[in-house]
Amino acid sequence: MEWAFTRPITKLLERAETIDSRLILAFDMYPKNSKVEQFIEDSIELLEGLRDYVVAVKFGLPTIMSLGITGVKEIISSCREYYYIADVKFADIGYIGRLIAEILDGVGFDAIIAHTIIGLKGGLEELVEEVKARNGALFALCAMSHRGAEEFLNRHFEELLDTALKLNIKSFILPATMPKYIREVRLKCPNAIIASPGIGAQGAKPGSAIESGADFEIIGRMIYKAKDPLNTARKLKEVLRWRRS
Ligand code: BMP
């Protein structure tokens, strides 16, 4: 098997610098009305068209589950220039974490998103060890963007953040819809890499997460549901430039 967690997170930053963008695409589409092969072809065409605007592609479960790892691998290997994040929102025991990391590595992913709430011992510790051994990155979830996240998860934000920092995790997914969390992580951990979803369809304004201290904005529906996704991404890049003037 070809190991592909071979491109550390610096690759994400290098690509951001090269194409001068802070835009990450949330790819959650799936072949609802088309054949899988056609869907894969269309996805490759879309990613080829977005290459000057989008730094990284975050594949979500709707896509991963419906295409299977073979289909996702086909897309990734056809558009290798992107940085790829597997959004499986991992929350399981360490043994399973190691297996998932191995599988995602084989697909060509560079990073995985995991819930910090599983805790260190026999959970996150093992996953992080496995991902690091493969030169990959882990984005920790310590707060989420939907309103219900405030009922349980986000109430433990401080503890979750401390847990992640104990493992030296420096990359986070934090909600653009609740920028106080972005500001707090930026203050506590100036070198953190912060990617924020919640823009567009969930209500936050493009550019707002960056203003609060995020490095990247993760945007899905606003792009792939647009009449002209390429033009929408081009316009988004204008407010999400890597180099600040
Ligand atoms: P959209 O721009 O279409 O709302 O997509 C947001 C993406 O970010 C989805 O893939 C979702 O799973 C993810 N996400 C989120 O919306 N909120 C979070 O707190 C964490 C996420 O990963």
Side-chain angles (χ1 to χ4, degrees):
M1 193 171 338
E2 172 201 343
W3 301 117
F5 269 161
T6 48
R7 310 186 310 160
I9 201 150
T10 46
K11 290 284 172 192
L12 173 68
L13 306 180
E14 280 166 25
R15 180 165 161 77
E17 169 83 44
T18 305
I19 69 161
D20 191 17
S21 172
R22 296 171 179 271
L23 176 57
I24 295 179
L25 174 69
F27 194 113
D28 292 313
M29 291 178 286
Y30 67 103
K32 195 175 179 184
N33 299 315
S34 58
K35 292 237 161 64
V36 170
E37 275 318 311
Q38 185 59 51
F39 177 85
I40 291 175
E41 227 173 85
D42 294 346
S43 303
I44 292 171
E45 198 184 312
L46 176 68
L47 293 191
E48 279 172 353
L50 290 173
R51 58 161 54 109
D52 290 338
Y53 319 126
V54 167
V55 183
V57 179
K58 180 184 80 64
F59 278 113
L61 285 175
T63 315
I64 298 173
M65 286 172 70
S66 50
L67 294 191
I69 56 170
T70 325
V72 175
K73 191 172 180 169
E74 201 178 324
I75 300 176
I76 291 181
S77 43
S78 300
C79 307
R80 211 43 215 139
E81 67 271 43
Y82 288 105
Y83 186 86
Y84 286 103
I85 303 169
D87 186 1
V88 291
K89 296 207 173 57
F90 181 83
D92 209 330
I93 58 170
Y95 172 74
I96 302 296
R98 287 189 190 277
L99 299 185
I100 299 290
E102 180 185 337
I103 292 166
L104 294 174
D105 188 1
V107 176
F109 281 107
D110 301 297
I112 180 174
I113 298 177
H115 273 289
T116 315
I117 206 149
I118 54 178
L120 297 180
K121 297 286 162 207
L124 208 54
E125 236 174 36
E126 284 185 41
L127 176 65
V128 167
E129 198 181 283
E130 190 66 38
V131 169
K132 275 195 182 157
R134 295 171 182 281
N135 271 323
L138 183 141
F139 282 85
L141 267 182
C142 304
M144 287 188 72
S145 61
H146 59 295
R147 281 199 359 246
E150 294 282 282
E151 291 170 24
F152 302 106
L153 186 76
N154 298 1
R155 285 195 196 176
H156 298 277
F157 169 72
E158 304 282 346
E159 296 147 283
L160 294 172
L161 178 60
D162 285 347
T163 301
L165 294 177
K166 266 188 206 146
L167 275 183
N168 216 14
I169 293 172
K170 295 279 172 56
S171 29
F172 298 92
I173 305 288
L174 292 165
T177 49
M178 301 173 203
K180 63 179 177 181
Y181 298 114
I182 300 174
R183 285 194 285 268
E184 193 166 334
V185 172
R186 180 56 70 218
L187 207 66
K188 254 196 170 164
C189 187
N191 299 328
I193 294 175
I194 302 173
S196 293
I199 307 286
Q202 295 180 54
K205 220 173 106 246
S208 62
I210 304 298
E211 268 169 36
S212 300
D215 299 290
F216 296 97
E217 292 190 2
I218 299 174
I219 307 181
R221 286 166 286 178
M222 193 179 185
I223 297 173
Y224 64 75
K225 288 203 168 180
K227 275 210 178 82
D228 186 346
L230 268 46
N231 199 31
T232 306
R234 187 184 59 75
K235 284 188 191 148
L236 282 167
K237 182 184 158 177
E238 292 305 315
V239 277
L240 298 173
R241 292 229 172 245
W242 182 254
R243 292 187 275 279
R244 295 160 206 258
S245 48

